Amino acid sequence: MGKIKMNLDMLEEVRMQHEIAREATEAVINKGRADLNSMTEEVWEGEDGDMAREQLHDLLNKEMTQTWKELDTLHEVIKKAQKSAYEAKNFCNNFPQIFRNGSMPSDTDSSPCSGDLMCNNESCEALKNSMSEASKNASNIKSKVIDVESLLAELETAEAKFDYSSYTEPIKTQAQNVIDRVDIFNNAVTKYEHNVDRLDQTFAKELLASTPDTVPTPFDPSILLTDDIVHMNDGDIINFLEAHDLIDIGGKLSDAQLENILAMLFDKKDVDVSGLSKEDFEVAFLNLPEEKQKAILLEMGLSRSQIDSILESKESKRTIIDQFCNSKTKDRINELRNNNPFSPKATSKTNSSQGTTAPPTGGTKQSGNSTGAVECDSQTIGSPGKIDPSFFPSYAEQLIEAQNALCDDDPSNDEEAMKTINECLTAGLYFENNTLYYNEEYLQYCKEMAGEGSLLYSLLDQFDEIVLGEEGTISSFGDSGTCSLTISQLGAGYQLLLNADSKIIGGEYSNYRVAYAATEETCKHYFMNGDEYDWDKIQEWCQKDDPVIDAEEYAFLSNELLNMNRDDINKFLRSAETSTFSFTDRVSYLMVCYDCKAKEEAIIQGKDEIYTRALCCSTVVNTLRTYPGYIFEKIEFEPKGFEDTGAYKAFFTNPYNFFSSDYLMVFPSENPSVIGKRINDFANDIIDPSLVDGIKSWGAGNVSTVLQWSTAKTIVGSIILSAKDYIESYKTFNVVKEGFKLGEAASMYGVGGNLIIGSLGFNKIANVIVDSYDEMQIGAATIMYNRNAKLASAGVATVMNGDTYDYITRTELKESFSEENSDIFENYYDLFYSSNIDGAKEIERIEGILHQIADKIYPMGVDTFNLDYEQMGEVMDMYKKMEEVLPQYCAENDIEDVYYLEDDRIREHLDDIYIEACNS
């Protein structure tokens, strides 16, 4: 994002300017229409009168109406951006509220405000880091106060009591307020960044889209407002129309002049105009250098002042060429050709002598945003037909218009649009030297004009990547034949199909898919009926086995899932479940996208419920893929018996046992002790109390534990050939451990995260989606593990199993928590709970030393109880250095039989050992 600065006063000024311009334009149109109504045939007789009425009608009802629409669109875009800017500014201005009462300010207050709206990524990050430091300082203060309270409590006797809580409690309360409110503040800053960035990008995109490509320069319409009565005989309008639109070229030019103009336009004589449209003439004229344009206009008989006026704008040039290319002119040219036995007849769109193909020139049926349709037969590739670059703009314009028609809200024009796209894309095929090519220059031009992210760009880009070889080669089989490219709808997107006969490629290719793409617009039209969901289409998409899917489909649906109410979420899951009571690969991957998006949104909004609900949905999908045969019923928030827990519960029906109570429950992120207690309670509920004594040998098959999911956040590429293969390229752990080991493991590893428990028939499920580890505990456990591995390698009897006892890293220890049949996990579990070694106590003692080292490395501003991975690495490195200097220090100070830093006999020497290690 970088730096964003928006002046709200200037934005309001621009909005008012557009509002004034829109109202003024509307007034001109209304006044002009009143004058037009007064221009009756009785008053304005003859051909000049008819032309004046016609041109004024077009001016008022087409050009000026279009101008009004453009001004209105721009005004609405500015108003929308202004509303978002006010909301962001007011949201930011109310940040002090967070520290006054601990509540998040409203982000929907759009009351007008002034000044600058500013956002700087670096400044925001620095602010959040500073606030985090303040939170850590507050945490340290609170910790120190608790230590002071403990010390004072120890000094108390029955006779001497201290009323220290009256001054320690306010300090702890204030410190806790800082800790809690810093989190809210940092979430608010993140949300502010997100909102301003979204405003900036949306405003820029919509402003660009609503700005006209060309701004015409018509005569000054203010003359219509000079008086109540317009004196049409003063010549203002007539002179303007005569100069720009009223030149009857076809009727005035001689045969020689027509031939000269055509020769200059197309750089050759005897041009066949039967297959050329007005657009072709426009493109040819606009691509000429200005000197040639002047020569053509002089040939038309125009004066110098008229030519200078026309050359000032592209719109004026288009107008003069449109007038030249009227039906009278084309009839005269065709008459000339028919009277000349040596001129070419209109038999083909392909000029074989030049090797160039002209643009398609089909009819122009209008329907909403529809585009002109052309016939779409397969192109016969028998002679060179490479498109001349001068025709690229015409083709590209038709392609983009047709693409826009496919993506609008009117399905009635889709068939016409696809015909146009088929014709324009097929035109890029040509045969040369026994090889079928696609014109790469034409393809790249169309991609550039369509713009990255558009439907057309994605289809052509994939076609280029997947099919085309060097220089656009498709096949070198060696014969001519018929070949075409066609587009058709497939689900929420469109596919590009190659059709070719055996002569040209060596095998019959019928509707061979070479590209597939979807956009936000195509997804919206497919999945929605206006503002309502099309549940039939959603069900069709979810239950399809076709692996071809665009990333945009996942993005659209995951965003909709994020915003659905609970009833729609339930309806979605019921629609997605197959007749075999399971879910497809594409739904499974959709849940991965939904999880990731919900996680980000939960952080931005500071609401765990958002992610917990998404996790509940993905748990339903992935569990029923593992245990199919259960009918999903609904999910509920904080069900009976679990009020105020923030949990979601999913209910199922067993079609073969309606008395079965089947469910899954997902809890928000919790600390290790809470996770362990919930698992133990869950296990006690489902196990016969008489079996508790034998719980250690409880059957491993009775509890399935999915301990960690590591999911992808983005999709690389547009086509995902198999959602299942994609998911499996990331770590997805499905492990089974004995009975209560999961709850104990949460404590062993200091795991924080989302707990999932449930019961489906005889399958009892307990899952932990890992969110964090206690880095200090992991570091101490790694030291304890490696210490015992060293003893085992030396032949000392320990509880560790296996033939080899490799040292492990902190990362390997973490991974063992979620690996199936992990020797590291089993050895760590035995060490932790061994009565002989008492690993838990040893870890606790090592943690004490690590905390002391951390306090020395980070004396101020760092919460040593919540170190991150890198900070813990520095503490571990210092611990290792201190262990290395320990033997020499003990020898120099006559301390015997001390092997570890946590030995009580050297507690008072730790500062000196730390200094020795720093100097070593």
Side-chain angles (χ1 to χ4, degrees):
M1 177 176 70
K3 298 179 181 179
I4 295 175
K5 181 179 180 181
M6 184 180 297
N7 188 294
L8 302 185
D9 301 318
M10 188 177 295
L11 191 64
E12 170 63 9
E13 183 180 337
V14 172
R15 185 199 65 77
M16 291 179 63
Q17 288 173 353
H18 279 78
E19 185 174 35
I20 293 169
R22 182 187 63 180
E23 292 174 354
T25 303
E26 185 174 0
V28 169
I29 292 171
N30 292 334
K31 189 70 172 67
R33 285 174 177 172
D35 292 330
L36 181 62
N37 292 333
S38 68
M39 294 171 62
T40 62
E41 292 187 11
E42 289 78 7
V43 179
W44 290 78
E45 296 180 354
E47 186 176 350
D48 287 346
D50 292 339
M51 286 187 179
R53 278 190 295 273
E54 180 183 345
Q55 295 298 332
L56 185 56
H57 177 275
D58 288 346
L59 176 68
L60 295 171
N61 295 292
K62 292 182 181 179
E63 284 87 350
M64 293 197 69
T65 300
Q66 179 62 29
T67 299
W68 183 91
K69 290 179 180 178
E70 289 165 353
L71 286 168
D72 183 61
T73 302
L74 281 165
H75 181 257
E76 291 304 312
V77 167
I78 295 168
K79 274 182 65 178
K80 178 182 174 184
Q82 194 177 42
K83 178 177 179 292
S84 298
Y86 287 159
E87 289 174 348
K89 178 80 171 178
N90 290 326
F91 179 59
C92 181
N93 287 343
N94 289 323
F95 278 0
Q97 167 186 322
I98 296 171
F99 291 100
R100 283 197 298 268
N101 56 27
S103 64
M104 178 79 78
S106 170
D107 63 344
T108 58
D109 179 8
S110 57
S111 56
C113 49
S114 60
D116 290 328
L117 174 68
M118 295 183 290
C119 190
N120 183 333
N121 256 147
E122 294 180 1
S123 298
C124 288
E125 285 303 312
L127 177 60
K128 287 189 287 186
N129 289 337
S130 298
M131 297 304 294
S132 296
E133 289 297 320
S135 176
K136 290 176 181 178
N137 289 339
S139 180
N140 284 335
I141 290 171
K142 183 180 177 182
S143 176
K144 302 300 183 186
V145 170
I146 292 173
D147 291 342
V148 170
E149 285 181 325
S150 299
L151 180 60
L152 292 173
E154 291 176 3
L155 295 175
E156 284 185 328
T157 65
E159 292 76 18
K161 295 288 186 180
F162 302 106
D163 182 20
Y164 52 81
S165 61
S166 61
Y167 57 86
T168 58
E169 282 301 325
I171 297 174
K172 290 194 296 181
T173 300
Q174 287 297 322
Q176 188 59 49
N177 283 343
V178 172
I179 295 168
D180 296 338
R181 293 171 186 181
V182 161
D183 288 339
I184 299 173
F185 181 84
N186 283 353
N187 286 334
V189 173
T190 301
K191 188 173 185 178
Y192 175 74
E193 286 182 279
H194 176 77
N195 290 348
V196 174
D197 184 44
R198 182 171 57 190
L199 161 65
D200 183 58
Q201 293 186 19
T202 303
F203 188 31
K205 180 180 177 182
E206 292 182 352
L207 200 60
L208 184 63
S210 59
T211 302
D213 294 332
T214 59
V215 181
T217 54
F219 77 100
D220 185 2
S222 62
I223 63 170
L224 298 177
L225 299 176
T226 55
D227 204 341
D228 291 336
I229 299 174
V230 179
H231 301 287
M232 304 301 289
N233 60 354
D234 64 7
D236 288 331
I237 295 179
I238 296 299
N239 291 340
F240 167 78
L241 297 178
E242 184 179 53
H244 288 77
D245 294 315
L246 207 62
I247 305 168
D248 184 11
I249 297 171
K252 297 179 179 178
L253 297 179
S254 66
D255 293 348
Q257 286 176 309
L258 284 176
E259 293 286 11
N260 290 338
I261 290 171
L262 289 174
M264 285 187 283
L265 268 176
F266 297 102
D267 200 24
K268 59 183 176 182
K269 294 183 177 181
D270 296 330
V271 178
D272 175 17
V273 299
S274 60
L276 300 180
S277 65
K278 283 186 178 183
E279 289 78 10
D280 302 332
F281 281 84
E282 287 178 9
V283 170
F285 183 80
L286 294 174
N287 285 335
L288 292 175
E290 187 169 304
E291 288 304 315
K292 273 201 171 185
Q293 292 177 350
K294 284 184 178 179
I296 290 174
L297 296 176
L298 282 170
E299 192 72 28
M300 291 179 181
L302 303 182
S303 66
R304 289 288 181 184
S305 60
Q306 288 175 323
I307 292 172
D308 291 341
S309 175
I310 290 169
L311 293 178
E312 283 180 359
S313 73
K314 186 180 290 186
E315 195 62 30
S316 298
K317 295 177 185 178
R318 290 181 186 275
T319 302
I320 198 71
I321 293 301
D322 284 351
Q323 184 61 31
F324 172 80
C325 188
N326 60 24
S327 58
K328 290 181 181 180
T329 306
K330 296 185 76 172
D331 288 344
R332 285 198 59 203
I333 295 171
N334 287 331
E335 185 178 347
L336 286 173
R337 297 288 176 267
N338 291 331
N339 292 333
N340 181 1
F342 300 104
S343 65
K345 299 291 189 286
T347 57
S348 173
K349 292 183 183 179
T350 302
N351 187 313
S352 58
S353 64
Q354 297 296 322
T356 60
T357 302
T361 58
T364 57
K365 299 178 182 178
Q366 297 297 322
S367 175
N369 291 328
S370 68
T371 181
V374 295
E375 292 303 319
C376 172
D377 297 330
S378 294
Q379 182 170 330
T380 300
I381 311 295
S383 62
K386 193 172 183 180
I387 310 171
D388 189 284
S390 65
F391 297 131
F392 288 179
S394 178
Y395 276 107
E397 183 177 347
Q398 293 183 65
L399 275 171
I400 293 167
E401 287 180 1
Q403 169 199 250
N404 294 340
L406 283 184
C407 297
D408 65 14
D409 292 323
D410 182 9
S412 65
N413 56 24
D414 289 356
E415 184 177 353
E416 300 288 313
M418 284 191 281
K419 287 181 180 179
T420 298
I421 291 175
N422 295 343
E423 176 76 11
C424 292
L425 291 183
T426 298
L429 297 164
Y430 68 98
F431 196 76
E432 189 173 271
N433 298 326
N434 298 325
T435 301
L436 176 65
Y437 291 94
Y438 198 87
N439 190 327
E440 277 203 323
E441 186 181 358
Y442 170 58
L443 183 144
Q444 296 302 327
Y445 182 87
C446 291
K447 281 173 59 178
E448 181 179 344
M449 295 304 293
E452 191 169 353
S454 66
L455 178 67
L456 185 61
Y457 182 96
S458 299
L459 290 172
L460 292 178
D461 192 53
Q462 291 172 41
F463 177 58
D464 189 11
E465 290 290 325
I466 296 172
V467 177
L468 302 186
E470 291 186 8
E471 299 180 352
T473 307
I474 297 177
S475 169
S476 302
F477 194 72
D479 204 353
S480 61
T482 59
C483 186
S484 68
L485 285 172
T486 59
I487 187 175
S488 66
Q489 188 169 13
L490 177 64
Y494 286 86
Q495 58 184 342
L496 188 61
L497 305 172
L498 175 66
N499 294 274
D501 62 22
S502 57
K503 293 180 182 180
I504 203 164
I505 290 185
E508 191 75 23
Y509 281 79
S510 178
N511 292 331
Y512 180 75
R513 184 190 296 142
V514 294
Y516 173 80
T519 66
E520 183 179 356
E521 290 81 12
T522 64
C523 289
K524 182 179 179 182
H525 300 154
Y526 181 77
F527 292 116
M528 309 287 290
N529 277 329
D531 294 331
E532 302 294 326
Y533 293 109
D534 188 331
W535 293 110
D536 291 336
K537 291 289 182 66
I538 288 174
Q539 183 177 44
E540 177 186 89
W541 185 91
C542 289
Q543 298 190 13
K544 245 184 183 178
D545 290 328
D546 192 332
V548 178
I549 306 170
D550 193 284
E552 191 60 48
E553 294 169 72
Y554 288 124
F556 181 87
L557 281 177
S558 58
N559 190 64
E560 290 302 316
L561 286 167
L562 193 66
N563 296 305
M564 280 182 185
N565 59 42
R566 205 164 302 145
D567 290 338
D568 284 340
I569 281 284
N570 287 329
K571 198 166 185 177
F572 178 88
L573 291 173
R574 287 194 290 267
S575 298
E577 191 172 8
T578 66
S579 58
T580 57
F581 311 123
S582 185
F583 293 89
T584 59
D585 286 347
R586 57 170 57 183
V587 176
S588 179
Y589 183 73
L590 172 62
M591 290 298 114
V592 174
C593 297
Y594 177 29
D595 274 1
C596 293
K597 189 179 287 287
K599 186 72 171 178
E600 293 173 359
E601 196 64 27
I603 293 172
I604 291 172
Q605 297 191 28
K607 295 180 180 178
D608 286 342
E609 180 193 344
I610 296 173
Y611 179 60
T612 308
R613 186 178 82 162
L615 199 53
C616 185
C617 293
S618 62
T619 301
V620 168
V621 169
N622 289 299
T623 303
L624 291 194
R625 281 166 61 84
T626 305
Y627 305 107
Y630 294 86
I631 303 172
F632 169 77
E633 291 293 336
K634 63 179 179 178
I635 61 174
E636 285 186 1
F637 180 61
E638 294 185 343
K640 185 177 180 181
F642 291 89
E643 293 82 358
D644 301 322
T645 61
Y648 272 90
K649 188 174 185 179
F651 295 87
F652 304 89
T653 297
N654 186 335
Y656 308 107
N657 181 2
F658 288 99
F659 298 101
S660 176
S661 177
D662 303 300
Y663 71 92
L664 288 169
M665 186 173 294
V666 180
F667 293 88
S669 183
E670 296 172 322
N671 61 47
S673 61
V674 176
I675 291 174
K677 183 179 184 305
R678 289 198 191 282
I679 293 175
N680 290 340
D681 291 344
F682 168 67
N684 280 323
D685 287 341
I686 62 175
I687 298 171
D688 188 326
S690 64
L691 299 178
V692 173
D693 290 339
I695 195 64
K696 292 296 183 182
S697 60
W698 192 38
N702 290 329
V703 174
S704 167
T705 60
V706 183
L707 292 171
Q708 183 177 17
W709 296 344
S710 177
T711 57
K713 289 188 177 179
T714 57
I715 303 175
V716 179
S718 296
I719 298 182
I720 304 303
L721 298 179
S722 170
K724 182 172 182 293
D725 291 342
Y726 184 80
I727 294 170
E728 287 180 352
S729 68
Y730 293 84
K731 289 184 178 179
T732 303
F733 303 105
N734 299 279
V735 303
V736 177
K737 300 192 186 298
E738 297 174 356
F740 287 111
K741 271 193 177 181
L742 177 58
E744 295 170 339
S747 299
M748 285 165 48
Y749 287 79
V751 165
N754 298 84
L755 172 65
I756 301 170
I757 58 174
S759 174
L760 292 175
F762 294 107
N763 301 299
K764 310 305 177 184
I765 300 167
N767 307 336
V768 176
I769 310 303
V770 178
D771 186 47
S772 63
Y773 293 89
D774 184 331
E775 293 292 345
M776 189 68 74
Q777 184 173 336
I778 289 292
T782 304
I783 293 171
M784 185 273 293
Y785 186 100
N786 288 334
R787 185 177 292 168
N788 282 274
K790 182 178 180 181
L791 293 173
S793 298
V796 179
T798 71
V799 296
M800 298 182 74
N801 299 307
D803 299 326
T804 59
Y805 310 98
D806 295 330
Y807 282 18
I808 63 170
T809 63
R810 289 179 291 146
T811 300
E812 288 171 332
L813 181 61
K814 289 180 184 178
E815 290 175 349
S816 72
F817 175 72
S818 45
E819 288 178 352
E820 188 172 359
N821 302 322
S822 167
D823 289 338
I824 294 175
F825 177 89
E826 296 301 334
N827 282 329
Y828 178 39
Y829 182 89
D830 291 338
L831 287 169
F832 194 91
Y833 289 106
S834 169
S835 58
N836 295 329
I837 296 176
D838 200 355
K841 283 285 187 184
E842 189 172 348
I843 290 174
E844 187 178 338
R845 288 194 295 271
I846 297 172
E847 275 194 81
I849 302 299
L850 293 175
H851 272 296
Q852 292 184 55
I853 296 173
D855 286 336
K856 296 180 184 299
I857 296 177
Y858 306 108
M860 290 292 292
V862 175
D863 180 6
T864 56
F865 288 88
N866 291 291
L867 297 179
D868 60 28
Y869 183 83
E870 288 74 18
Q871 291 169 333
M872 193 62 220
E874 293 186 39
V875 174
M876 295 283 285
D877 290 341
M878 179 52 67
Y879 182 95
K880 184 178 179 181
K881 288 181 180 180
M882 291 174 68
E883 272 198 328
E884 290 171 352
V885 303
L886 178 63
Q888 182 178 347
Y889 181 88
C890 290
E892 292 173 352
N893 291 275
D894 297 325
I895 304 173
E896 298 180 351
D897 300 325
V898 172
Y899 306 101
Y900 306 121
L901 292 172
E902 58 269 20
D903 194 309
D904 290 337
R905 289 174 293 170
I906 61 165
R907 182 181 297 272
E908 61 186 27
H909 298 275
L910 283 176
D911 288 347
D912 294 333
I913 297 173
Y914 178 82
I915 295 171
E916 289 284 340
C918 290
N919 296 329
S920 63

